[in-house]
Every structure is written in C-alpha cells, then in structure tokens.
Amino acid sequence: MNLEAKQQIWKEYQKEIADDRYYYARSCIRQTFFPGSEWAYLDILGNRLGKTVFDDPRHTTCTGIGYHSDVVPVETIMTVVARHFALMTEAGFENITPSCITSFGIYTEILHTWQEHPEIEEQTHEYLWKATRREFKKPKNLAHTSDVIYKFRHEIAAQKKHALVDVHTGRPLRVVDHIGCHYAKMFPSKGIGGAEFPAVLSGMVTAWGGEPVDYPERRHCCGFGFRNYLVLANRGYSIANSKKKFESMQPYEPDFIITNCPGCAMFLDKWQYTISEMEGTTYGKDGYGIPVLTYEEAAALVLGYDPWEIGLQMHQVSVEPLLEKMGIAYDPDAKYRNARGEDMGRPACPNYLKV
Amino acid sequence: MQKLSEKLKQDIHYIESLNSCMNCGVCTAICPAAEFYRYDPRVIVDTVQRQDEEALETLLKSETIWYCGECMSCKTRCPRSNTPGGVIMSLRRLSQEEGYFTESEKGRQQFALKRVLGNNILNYGYCVTPDVVRPEMHPEQGPVWEWIYEHRDEFYERVHSNYRKEGAGALRKVDDQTMKELRSIFEVTGGKAFMDNIENCSAEKAQEMGMDMETYFLHTYMDNNDNHQ
C-alpha cells in the first residue's frame, strides 16, 4: 500500500480535539486516588501550555458509577450531564473535557442517543428546567483529558527535563499502556486509534522518548466491572482480570504501565499488592511491582515536576526504581511529609511486595 | 398487564443495543465475565430474542444477569453492532422495577450498591470520596491507602487538593445549592423513586429472610455462596 493510502486510512482513526478553552469535568476516582494528577493536569495546561481551563465549583459527579452499577436510571444521568452542559454554557465555554473514562463514555453515549432520538434530548431539557431552571447547549467538542495531553504531546516534549529513557544505559523505557474500556470500545470513532489501534497513550510515550510495547492482553479490561469491585463479595472478578493482564505483560519486562482511566490506574497499582499478599507473586524486577503512572503523572515527570508534589507517594507500587532509571532526583524523606514539612509516619510494609 | 418483553422493548438501552443477533458467540469469546463466571451473553441475547415470557421472568430472577461488568467489550466485537452489555442494563432495570432482583444473591447486592452509591451521590455530590473508602472494608487497598486515610486531612492538602473546603479544586465540599439541584434532578427524573423501590423491595426480602437491615446490608455486601463459577 502506498503512503498516501495509508495516511488516508489512518485519518479515520483520528479525532478532533479543541485547541483551547476547556470546561473541566472532574472525576470522582481521580480526585480520590490521584488528586496530584489532577493538579498536575491543570497546572500543565494553564502554566506550561498557556491554555484556559475552567474548574467549576458547581460541577458534581456525573453519577456514572451508579449508572453502570444500575442504581441510577438513564433519565437521571442524562439530566445530571445536561446540568454540566448548562454550567459550561453559562460560563461561556463550548469544549468539555472529562477526566474520567467512565464519564467520557457516558457523555459520548448521551450525545449519540440524543442524536438518534431527539425526543429524549427534548425530554432532558424539560427535566433539567423543572429541576434546576437551567438550560443547556450541547458542547461543540468533547475530548477526554488524555486526548488533550496527546494533542500537546510534542509541545510537552519540547519543554522536557527528563525523557522516558534509562539514563544509565540510554535505552528507551519499555512502556505498556492500558486504555480504559469506555474510552473507545463503545464508540471507536471517538478515541484516537479507535479500539483496534490504541494510540492516545503510546503516542505520548513515543513523543517523550519511550518505547511502547504491545502485549497480548493489551485490550483486556482491568476488571473494575463496577458492581464486581464495589461489592466486596465480587472482588475475585476484578483481581482475576488484572492478574490476567499482569501475566500477559510481565514477559516484556515493562519499566512502567501508563493508563488514561483513573480506576484502571488504581486497580493495576493496588491489585499488585493484593496478589502478592495472596500468592507471593510480584511482577517487577527483584520483588518490586511494575510502577503504574497516570498520563498526567508521566507528563509531569517529563516536565520536571517533583514526584511528591504530584502525589506519587499515593501509589502502593514504589515508583523509586523508575525515578532512578529516569535520573530524577528525589528526597526520600519528603515522601512522608505534609505541606508544613512535618513527618506523617510511614505506611506498613507489605509481606512480599518490595517497597 | 403489559408483557415483560413489551416493557423491555420500550427501554432505550434495549432499543439501542439489540438489532438482530445471529448467535455467533463472539460476545462470549471476548467477555471478561464469561471467563470468570458461569455466564454466557450469547445465551442471554438468545433468550431475550425468543420473547418467551416464562423464560424472561426466570432470567430476571436469576443470578445470570448480574455477572456482567459493563465493560462493553462486546460492543466493539459484535459483527451485527449489538451490545449485549446494553441488553443487560435493560434487563437489570426491569428486574429491579418488577422487584425480581431480590430472588438471587447477586441481584440482592443492588441494595448494598444503592446504599453506598446513593448515599455518596446524594450526600457528597460524588460517587466516591476518600471518607467512604474505609480500610476495613477495603483491605485490598493496602497499607499505603491505610496511611493516607489515617492522615487524609494533611495528606490531601500536601497534594494540592481542596479537601472538604469551599471553592474549586479536587475533593472540595460541594455547595448546598448544587446539592439541592442534584437532589432535585433525582426527584424529577425518577432516580429517587428507583432507589426507594430498591430499598422497599430489600426491606421486604430482609423480613422474609429474618434479618434486620444492618445484617441484610452485610449479607448483600459480603456473602458469596460460591456457586457462581
């Protein structure tokens, strides 16, 4: 196939991402487990790339975890999302950027449903007016926050302090990606690379000097499964799916995992601890785990942010081996200090997982 | 009385998720739940297509419809553009509306989910906040989370969040007017009535099983009869 034909085909796997002026839709899971990622994202966009992002205090959950646990009906979530659109409209923004993959999938699904069934959109307008006296316009552009970082990956690379390279050997770091299921599996045309050729994260990795590594279960779910994690009795489902992924990626000896879904990042980090406690198995080198980074954390490290400013001390799998490979200086004691520099003690040590 | 199959056909998830299934089984091949549980989305879609009222009622009372993780991997792969995961969403809604969900162990878990998520959404404005991820209920979170949880006020300040405070930023307190609007949306759109129905059906089931509501909550959150795989 000639180059022109290839480029034509690849165009179908791209998506439009607004250039500036984003309304930020916060993620319940990201703010709980990766608040430093969220701060890094807003700081990178605002202070490094000179973009305008509106973080609205009136924004709430989209109720997506409730919706996919089947306790929140579709009419309700549509109206909650419509309220977010109304807040965006009132603030003078037209581009909405959810930080959560579940939210991104839901916003995409709702816009699709309204397109196919205008009577449902009309009903949602009525519900929203009745409940809040607000009116909304649909966004002109919907992009996940990882799409936005992907869009500016070369601008970030131009400002980089550290590449995704082992500074001791010059070897590009081997990076496995995990893309949240609801990013492109439901509506492949809305994700960069679609569901088949996931490029949103590997594009960042390549731009920042790393080597994306394909692995057999790359597209397999992390195992969140909503009710399958939220209910304690069901968590075997969740951990079994993550285990399948770890076993698939381990032979490629990845230096780290990168994810764009906050839930996946949390599970792939925490389940490594749980599996080690259950079976004594660890997946990294010398008894360590495989570090898991959100794309915001990866971008922030590349740009030279301090690891503890962006919250890497929240990870159960130690990131220090990765920081050392990248030649990033860090203060080991600062990891455990609060904002006033006071020591907060230390977490207990796992029985098997080296930290 | 309207037939179950007719009710199902009015559900937007059903309308959007089922065109015509040729029973190829690709959904089952890709399904993470089928790999873990005794679960076969191909058979479920087959049952639904037959429109056999008795078989549909049995399905709505069964464990089966509660195994799916709604990852929607099936949507990507179906050669007929069906979404078995979306069909599951319509079945789960109908099972709850008809009160059938309390007939199965996995279905009864809707009570735990309603209590946890309903409480979080309507009291905090988020599905998840740090306060509700209590280490004793989440041993899998590990010692780092336990340490964060114990120091959460000073820890979240360290990583630039606005924990429990007014204004913008991560983990801020959602203001009263916003919470009022959120609750009003649940009232107007039927979200509150849907949750109340879960609560009422569960109270009846708890009585039938001879449990108080606290015991019933723990039953729905923790019990596993090990007969699902």
Side-chain angles (χ1 to χ4, degrees):
Chain A
M1 192 182 288
N2 65 35
L3 185 63
E4 197 181 327
K6 272 188 184 172
Q7 285 173 338
Q8 190 58 37
I9 289 171
W10 187 239
K11 269 185 188 168
E12 292 173 18
Y13 293 93
Q14 302 302 309
K15 66 178 278 188
E16 194 188 332
I17 302 161
D19 187 53
D20 198 358
R21 295 191 56 77
Y22 309 104
Y23 184 89
Y24 183 69
R26 176 160 281 116
S27 155
C28 305
I29 294 186
R30 198 179 303 285
Q31 71 164 356
T32 298
F33 294 102
F34 304 102
S37 286
E38 189 184 283
W39 172 78
Y41 174 81
L42 295 172
D43 198 68
I44 290 168
L45 264 288
N47 296 326
R48 302 296 182 101
L49 299 170
K51 304 295 175 185
T52 301
V53 186
F54 183 46
D55 177 7
D56 191 342
R58 300 165 303 169
H59 177 264
T60 65
T61 177
C62 74
T63 72
I65 297 175
Y67 172 64
H68 280 298
S69 297
D70 305 278
V71 296
V72 173
V74 67
E75 297 83 354
T76 305
I77 192 168
M78 279 184 177
T79 311
V80 172
V81 166
R83 180 178 174 275
H84 294 171
F85 292 160
L87 297 176
M88 176 195 74
T89 309
E90 290 165 19
F93 285 75
E94 295 179 321
N95 308 316
I96 197 156
T97 49
S99 168
C100 174
I101 289 289
T102 300
S103 299
F104 176 72
I106 283 162
Y107 281 48
T108 307
E109 178 191 328
I110 288 174
L111 291 172
H112 169 82
T113 306
W114 288 348
Q115 193 177 343
E116 298 288 312
H117 305 273
E119 74 282 4
I120 295 180
E121 182 184 343
E122 192 50 44
Q123 185 193 50
T124 309
H125 276 280
E126 287 168 20
Y127 280 147
L128 185 67
W129 177 254
K130 195 172 170 191
T132 70
R133 291 291 185 267
R134 292 186 192 272
E135 291 181 287
F136 72 92
K137 284 185 187 162
K138 288 183 281 190
K140 276 195 176 158
N141 187 258
L142 165 64
H144 185 253
T145 44
S146 64
D147 293 329
V148 177
I149 294 291
Y150 173 87
K151 183 179 179 73
F152 298 119
R153 66 196 184 285
H154 297 303
E155 286 83 344
I156 289 169
Q159 297 183 37
K160 74 172 181 287
K161 296 280 194 314
H162 306 283
L164 298 181
V165 167
D166 186 330
V167 293
H168 307 290
T169 63
R171 171 182 66 81
L173 297 181
R174 284 186 295 272
V175 187
V176 292
D177 69 11
H178 172 77
I179 292 177
C181 291
H182 289 196
Y183 173 71
K185 283 183 179 174
M186 299 192 291
F187 297 93
S189 68
K190 304 299 180 192
I192 296 158
E196 298 294 354
F197 307 108
V200 62
L201 297 174
S202 59
M204 295 177 204
V205 169
T206 306
W208 303 336
E211 177 193 349
V213 177
D214 207 358
Y215 62 106
E217 298 297 348
R218 187 177 179 188
R219 293 164 188 80
H220 195 78
C221 176
C222 75
F224 177 19
F226 300 96
R227 70 188 330 277
N228 284 301
Y229 169 74
L230 295 169
V231 176
L232 188 144
N234 300 344
R235 287 181 194 154
Y237 168 103
S238 191
I239 195 169
N241 280 288
S242 284
K243 182 177 157 74
K244 181 173 172 161
K245 289 193 73 87
F246 297 137
E247 287 178 352
S248 174
M249 67 178 70
Q250 188 188 27
Y252 300 88
E253 299 183 350
D255 293 298
F256 71 95
I257 302 167
I258 188 168
T259 69
N260 68 344
C261 173
C264 304
M266 187 268 279
F267 290 117
L268 292 173
D269 178 57
K270 299 296 177 8
W271 286 137
Q272 290 192 65
Y273 156 77
T274 313
I275 292 169
S276 75
E277 292 293 311
M278 289 171 78
E279 300 181 343
T281 308
T282 52
Y283 296 98
K285 280 203 168 160
D286 307 322
Y288 283 97
I290 308 169
V292 186
L293 296 187
T294 66
Y295 58 93
E296 302 102 315
E297 289 167 347
L301 288 179
V302 165
L303 287 167
Y305 284 69
D306 181 88
W308 316 137
E309 287 291 319
I310 60 172
L312 294 189
Q313 63 275 50
M314 295 189 81
H315 294 218
Q316 180 61 58
V317 174
S318 296
V319 295
E320 283 87 339
L322 175 64
L323 301 179
E324 280 157 22
K325 279 179 201 168
M326 289 177 69
I328 295 173
Y330 62 91
D331 178 351
D333 293 329
K335 183 175 183 179
Y336 304 106
R337 290 194 198 122
N338 65 19
R340 287 167 296 286
E342 298 156 347
D343 195 272
M344 291 187 284
R346 301 285 185 279
C349 271
N351 287 312
Y352 299 100
L353 184 69
K354 203 167 166 185
V355 292
Chain B
M1 204 170 78
Q2 199 178 20
K3 285 181 172 180
L4 293 171
S5 53
E6 293 304 320
K7 288 182 184 175
L8 208 51
K9 282 181 197 166
Q10 291 163 13
D11 189 303
I12 188 63
H13 285 125
Y14 186 88
I15 294 165
E16 283 290 302
S17 301
L18 189 57
N19 301 307
S20 66
C21 167
M22 61 182 179
N23 259 292
C24 67
V26 166
C27 54
T28 304
I30 195 74
C31 177
E35 202 171 334
F36 187 77
Y37 288 122
R38 212 161 48 220
Y39 177 67
D40 189 338
R42 185 189 65 83
V43 172
I44 289 177
V45 174
D46 192 33
T47 306
V48 166
Q49 284 199 133
R50 278 175 15 227
Q51 299 188 37
D52 176 333
E53 286 292 299
E54 204 179 316
L56 194 51
E57 187 176 323
T58 303
L59 188 63
L60 294 171
K61 290 178 177 174
S62 73
E63 304 285 352
T64 316
I65 59 169
W66 303 102
Y67 293 143
C68 167
E70 297 189 15
C71 70
M72 304 297 173
S73 301
C74 48
K75 183 165 198 256
T76 315
R77 299 289 172 222
C78 177
R80 288 277 172 89
S81 302
N82 298 316
T83 312
V87 174
I88 285 290
M89 289 178 84
S90 64
L91 289 166
R92 287 177 177 176
R93 178 170 184 159
L94 188 56
S95 177
Q96 291 176 95
E97 286 174 344
E98 298 293 317
Y100 293 155
F101 70 104
T102 59
E103 297 300 306
S104 65
E105 182 181 73
K106 294 294 186 197
R108 285 194 289 278
Q109 292 172 344
Q110 289 307 99
F111 177 65
L113 289 162
K114 180 264 157 188
R115 278 278 172 104
V116 172
L117 294 168
N119 180 57
N120 293 350
I121 293 167
L122 296 174
N123 290 335
Y124 299 104
Y126 288 107
C127 287
V128 184
T129 75
D131 296 318
V132 300
V133 189
R134 302 205 313 270
E136 66 269 25
M137 300 301 255
H138 290 272
E140 80 290 344
Q141 287 286 333
V144 169
W145 176 253
E146 213 175 316
W147 171 70
I148 292 166
Y149 187 84
E150 197 180 318
H151 299 279
R152 57 195 187 278
D153 282 303
E154 49 186 333
F155 187 88
Y156 281 110
E157 183 190 10
R158 170 77 183 92
V159 289
H160 310 282
S161 55
N162 196 24
Y163 187 38
R164 293 196 187 124
K165 292 174 189 154
E166 305 278 345
L171 299 167
R172 76 208 182 279
K173 180 187 180 298
V174 176
D175 67 84
D176 294 342
Q177 175 59 30
T178 298
M179 288 307 303
K180 196 175 151 193
E181 288 186 26
L182 189 60
R183 291 182 195 120
S184 176
I185 289 172
F186 270 75
E187 287 278 355
V188 166
T189 58
K192 184 172 183 303
F194 191 82
M195 286 192 182
D196 287 348
N197 182 54
I198 296 173
E199 191 82 27
N200 294 338
C201 293
S202 302
E204 277 178 33
K205 191 67 186 179
Q207 195 173 23
E208 185 190 316
M209 294 174 78
M211 295 177 185
D212 60 39
M213 291 315 285
E214 198 181 327
T215 310
Y216 186 77
F217 174 81
L218 290 174
H219 157 66
T220 61
Y221 185 70
M222 303 184 85
D223 282 357
N224 188 337
N225 65 22
D226 285 331
N227 197 27
H228 302 287
Q229 288 175 292

